[in-house]
Amino acid sequence: EAEVAQSPRYKITEKSQAVAFWCDPISGHATLYWYRQILGQGPELLVQFQDESVVDDSQLPKDRFSAERLKGVDSTLKIQPAELGDSAMYLCASSRGRDTGELFFGEGSRLTVL
Amino acid sequence: GQSLEQPSEVTAVEGAIVQINCTYQTSGFYGLSWYQQHDGGAPTFLSYNALDGLEETGRFSSFLSRSDSYGYLLLQELQMKDSASYFCAVGSSYKLIFGSGTRLLVRP
């Protein structure tokens, strides 16, 4: 069964350092999402891609976060510099289209900023 | 703006039935989804309602009333493995916005 792949699973970094997360969606899924989930809360949408284009990044802290999906397949989310408040689970998801309620999530990348 | 409300915690007994409600306020609404998440795991899709009515998938059912901006997830024949967090998520303007989740504890 196809899965969304994410790496790394765990990342510990010091504040002010740079960190990057990678996501490979299910083959053929045009829509890719990055969500951030703080412990005890629901996932918060950071950025949404349709193919290689950003269609929503209204909640992305653009002074320190960036995301790209250059060839419309895999994607990278970067944080520079990391802050203590960035400690969270970063979840990547994909879907066949934009108007769907069924997202397929990866296992996530848990970030701890010291 | 957008808002979703669901209870923070629900406790039920193994074998019982539990209903988790979700009310929402949003524009550009196109559907309501439910996801399950076990501690340390990723959210997994349970159900999706685009139209009013009840959708049944095994022990789980989901209901939507668009006129009331309300939906619920019904879990029957509860099992210990159903202990998890359950999130409603509204499809709004081609984005899926998640609620804060309901933690379900199933007791023996």
Side-chain angles (χ1 to χ4, degrees):
Chain A
E1 183 176 328
E3 294 182 345
V4 175
Q6 286 190 248
S7 67
R9 286 294 310 276
Y10 304 94
K11 178 70 177 179
I12 300 175
T13 191
E14 294 185 345
K15 64 180 182 179
S16 80
Q17 296 299 304
V19 62
F21 305 110
W22 176 80
C23 172
D24 191 13
I26 293 172
S27 178
H29 280 193
T31 312
L32 185 147
Y33 315 77
W34 284 101
Y35 284 86
R36 176 172 60 187
Q37 187 176 26
I38 295 170
L39 198 62
Q41 299 182 19
E44 174 196 15
L45 181 66
L46 292 176
V47 62
Q48 180 174 334
F49 290 91
Q50 184 67 23
D51 298 311
E52 67 276 8
S53 300
V54 172
V55 295
D56 191 288
D57 62 357
S58 57
Q59 300 303 311
L60 188 72
K62 298 181 188 64
D63 56 336
R64 298 185 300 107
F65 286 64
S66 64
E68 61 183 13
R69 192 184 184 197
L70 291 176
K71 296 183 179 179
V73 180
D74 60 339
S75 176
T76 302
L77 177 70
K78 297 179 181 178
I79 309 173
Q80 181 171 18
E83 296 181 352
L84 296 177
D86 296 333
S87 293
M89 177 75 85
Y90 290 84
L91 293 161
C92 179
S94 69
S95 66
R96 295 181 183 87
R98 291 180 66 191
D99 58 347
T100 176
E102 185 175 8
L103 271 56
F104 297 81
F105 281 87
E107 290 297 315
S109 296
R110 180 164 294 283
L111 173 65
T112 301
V113 182
L114 304 176
Chain B
Q2 297 162 334
S3 69
L4 290 93
E5 289 192 14
Q6 54 181 127
S8 59
E9 288 186 2
V10 173
T11 301
V13 178
E14 193 174 15
I17 299 172
V18 71
Q19 178 173 313
I20 300 173
N21 297 321
C22 176
T23 58
Y24 60 88
Q25 278 190 319
T26 188
S27 58
F29 176 85
Y30 61 82
L32 183 71
S33 298
W34 289 92
Y35 286 78
Q36 179 192 62
Q37 186 177 33
H38 287 98
D39 285 348
T44 56
F45 173 79
L46 292 176
S47 68
Y48 174 65
N49 295 67
L51 303 175
D52 286 358
L54 191 68
E55 294 281 343
E56 298 181 70
T57 309
R59 295 187 296 115
F60 294 178
S61 302
S62 59
F63 172 82
L64 174 65
S65 169
R66 294 174 70 115
S67 60
D68 294 325
S69 298
Y70 163 76
Y72 66 71
L73 178 70
L74 192 73
L75 297 85
Q76 303 181 72
E77 302 172 16
L78 280 173
Q79 302 176 9
M80 299 298 293
K81 67 178 182 179
D82 296 330
S83 291
S85 292
Y86 293 84
F87 296 91
C88 62
V90 293
S92 171
S93 302
Y94 298 110
K95 298 188 295 187
L96 205 60
I97 308 300
F98 284 76
S100 55
T102 298
R103 193 168 182 85
L104 172 63
L105 176 62
V106 180
R107 295 186 288 108

